[in-house]
Amino acid sequence: MISGTMTRRRMIGISAAAAGMALLPFGSRAAVPEAVTWQGEAMGAQASLTIHHPDHSTAEKLAAMVVTEMRRLERIFSLYRDDSDLVLLNRQRFLVAPPKELVEILLLSREAGARTGGAFDPTVQPLWDAYRRHFSTPGASKAGPSAKIVRECLARVGLDRIACSSDRIELPVPGSALTLNGIAQGYITDKVVDLLRAGGIERSMVDMGESRAIGSAPGGRPWRVGISDPQDGARILKVLDVEDRAVATSSPFGFRFDAEGQFSHIIDPRSGATPQRHAGVTVVAGQAALADALSTAFNLMDAAEIAAVLDGMTGVEAHILSHDGKWARICA
């Protein structure tokens, strides 16, 4: 993945390991100061950070601020950390005085769920756990979990079952659990953009698993985001030009529970099934959290349903990759 740089007074490029996307060169590069870089993990994925700035100490401070913010948000949203607020909520089914970011992301999830007719729903975690347990069992049926197990899990799914306020979050149904993996990377990207803008950054490409452009690239040109083949990350299938927009990609090829690849990680919270309607979906929107949530939900919807969701949503578009390699663009 190649991060962009800017040639005006402030220059910054941020990149992270992301399935399905790559930042592409936007043309010849002017000489830039030595970069400040960071590599590590964010939300369970490999991530990296590269900042170019005329003042090296300022670049170092910005990098430290971004990494600190990422780590703070990760301690709230991650399922990979035993000490995260989300893991604690799932374990004890309530959280008193929750972080405001957790309340905010749940409200955004409710909005996304309402827009998509329930196709986006972070309470789907019990179904994910059921598929994982089933296919981790030696000799498990290739047909997947039984209909009875799926029905039992569905009884625990539904955003309307969550009690959420600034004082308390509660999962009243025993066995309920949340995953924010379909929106948290986008949300963190948005928060990093807010931090950089507050620090005076006017042009940047931020990628924390989902991409979001601040302004335009050097020379006033758009930033270029490449959409990778979901089965061959080194192969770019499509290039999008973006300015002040976010780009998120989801694909059922990201993870499969079974060796045959019949059951993917994108689970329909309405039915408990894992339909693989599309090879991948990329959404362009103003905010990365919205693009992230919609790209997940649209994998479970046909073209007509997606068009109905996007109707009236200014500046939002979906790029649908079919299993035969064809693209369809849907917008309001």
Side-chain angles (χ1 to χ4, degrees):
M1 184 172 295
I2 305 172
S3 65
T5 59
M6 59 172 289
T7 55
R8 293 180 63 186
R9 183 170 56 88
R10 292 182 173 88
M11 298 172 283
I12 179 168
I14 295 182
S15 62
M21 287 188 293
L23 307 185
L24 303 179
F26 43 74
S28 61
R29 297 173 179 267
V32 296
E34 181 183 352
V36 171
T37 62
W38 169 86
Q39 290 185 341
E41 283 194 359
M43 293 297 291
Q46 291 299 310
S48 63
L49 172 70
T50 303
I51 296 181
H52 297 280
H53 194 286
D55 185 276
H56 192 78
S57 64
T58 299
E60 288 181 330
K61 290 177 183 177
L62 283 169
M65 289 171 63
V66 168
V67 173
T68 297
E69 178 70 350
M70 283 174 19
R71 290 288 174 250
R72 184 183 74 83
L73 294 172
E74 187 178 49
R75 283 193 294 271
I76 298 173
F77 301 136
S78 179
L79 285 175
Y80 302 96
R81 297 180 56 125
D82 290 337
D83 62 343
S84 76
D85 292 281
L86 181 60
V87 167
L88 178 61
L89 173 61
N90 285 344
R91 183 185 304 133
Q92 63 186 23
R93 292 182 24 231
F94 72 91
L95 203 60
V96 178
K100 63 182 179 61
E101 292 85 1
L102 185 55
V103 174
E104 185 176 54
I105 204 170
L106 288 177
L107 294 177
L108 291 173
S109 295
R110 281 182 175 174
E111 293 176 9
R115 285 185 183 274
T116 60
F120 181 80
D121 191 331
T123 67
V124 76
Q125 184 65 18
L127 285 161
W128 197 97
D129 287 336
Y131 277 98
R132 177 187 54 79
R133 284 194 301 269
H134 177 84
F135 286 108
S136 297
T137 303
S141 169
K142 293 183 179 181
S146 68
K148 179 178 181 292
I149 290 176
V150 171
R151 285 196 303 271
E152 290 173 350
C153 291
L154 286 172
R156 303 168 187 144
V157 173
L159 278 165
D160 58 337
R161 292 178 169 88
I162 300 177
C164 180
S165 71
S166 59
D167 300 320
R168 183 182 179 92
I169 300 173
E170 185 172 358
L171 307 176
V173 180
S176 297
L178 295 170
T179 172
L180 297 172
N181 290 348
I183 191 171
Q185 287 181 324
Y187 181 90
I188 291 173
T189 297
D190 288 335
K191 289 301 181 183
V192 169
V193 166
D194 291 343
L195 185 154
L196 293 174
R197 280 182 164 156
I201 297 299
E202 298 172 353
R203 297 186 184 218
S204 170
M205 174 58 80
V206 178
D207 190 335
M208 296 292 156
E210 311 299 351
S211 300
R212 183 171 169 186
I214 301 176
S216 59
R221 290 164 290 188
W223 296 94
R224 306 180 70 219
V225 178
I227 309 303
S228 302
D229 185 333
Q231 299 186 76
D232 179 6
R235 182 167 166 250
I236 301 298
L237 298 180
K238 190 179 184 69
V239 177
L240 300 177
D241 291 342
V242 295
E243 295 183 43
D244 277 322
R245 315 300 295 163
V247 181
T249 293
S250 296
S251 168
F253 291 100
F255 176 80
R256 305 295 185 93
F257 289 101
D258 58 323
E260 289 75 21
Q262 299 301 307
F263 297 90
S264 84
H265 67 120
I266 301 180
I267 305 170
D268 194 327
R270 301 163 297 184
S271 67
T274 65
Q276 300 179 40
R277 294 177 180 270
H278 316 290
V281 176
T282 296
V283 173
V284 180
Q287 292 78 40
L290 176 61
D292 196 1
L294 290 181
S295 69
T296 300
F298 286 173
N299 270 280
L300 302 169
M301 306 168 73
D302 61 30
E305 292 171 319
I306 293 171
V309 172
L310 294 181
D311 185 30
M313 294 183 70
T314 304
V316 183
E317 60 186 50
H319 299 261
I320 315 298
L321 176 63
S322 67
H323 288 286
D324 62 3
K326 297 179 181 178
W327 287 95
R329 177 177 175 267
I330 304 174
C331 58

